[in-house]
Amino acid sequence: MFEILMGVPEMKEFWDNLKARKKKNELRGDEKELFKKFGKAIQFLAADPRHRGLQTHEIEDLTRRYGQKVFQSYLGQGKHAYRMFWVYGPNRKQITIIGLEPHPEDAKSGAYDRIKLSDVPNR
């Protein structure tokens, strides 16, 4: 089992905001769907980063840019699909989610060049 951390500051702020708004019942339709998909993906990731439902794979362009292996996992398919970006660490048995983006339309057209990722928290 892995401990799941949120990258700082963007992912931590995003997730904290989404959880707070969910608790207050303030999420809109698309946000409700995203919260559900993201929560499920976090559970899968904690249990097994290679869970087949996540379709996890390394993104070499991002690995080269950030100097550590960056993985992408799927959150749904089709119109409202998102991709979650993550790295192992900072410590053993930890995974840090460093990005969440709508699925890039065409990865070959430089879609990964536009992605900005959070930093891994210090431990």
Side-chain angles (χ1 to χ4, degrees):
M1 195 77 162
F2 287 87
E3 176 186 10
I4 304 299
L5 307 173
M6 293 294 159
V8 292
E10 296 88 356
M11 284 307 303
K12 181 167 179 11
E13 290 173 4
F14 171 79
W15 185 236
D16 288 348
N17 178 275
L18 203 60
K19 287 189 305 184
R21 292 180 51 232
K22 166 71 172 159
K23 190 174 183 176
K24 295 177 185 176
N25 201 26
E26 296 177 348
L27 296 179
R28 298 183 319 260
D30 288 352
E31 292 172 323
K32 287 178 185 178
E33 183 179 345
L34 175 58
F35 183 86
K36 183 178 176 182
K37 287 179 181 180
F38 196 30
K40 185 175 180 179
I42 289 170
Q43 290 176 341
F44 285 164
L45 191 61
D48 177 8
R50 299 291 180 185
H51 186 284
R52 75 182 178 105
L54 293 172
Q55 300 182 30
T56 296
H57 55 282
E58 182 182 357
I59 301 299
E60 293 178 6
D61 289 349
L62 296 176
T63 292
R64 278 192 296 280
R65 186 184 333 156
Y66 289 96
Q68 62 181 324
K69 285 190 176 188
V70 176
F71 297 91
Q72 171 181 280
S73 297
Y74 287 30
L75 273 71
Q77 299 285 341
K79 183 179 177 185
H80 297 289
Y82 279 82
R83 298 301 179 252
M84 174 174 63
F85 299 93
W86 58 271
V87 296
Y88 286 103
N91 296 319
R92 187 170 159 21
K93 299 302 272 180
Q94 291 180 326
I95 290 174
T96 301
I97 298 173
I98 56 175
L100 183 67
E101 296 280 336
H103 183 270
E105 293 300 319
D106 182 5
K108 294 177 184 170
S109 69
Y112 295 118
D113 294 340
R114 297 186 294 272
I115 294 174
K116 181 182 182 303
L117 302 176
S118 295
D119 288 330
V120 176
N122 293 325
R123 283 284 175 136

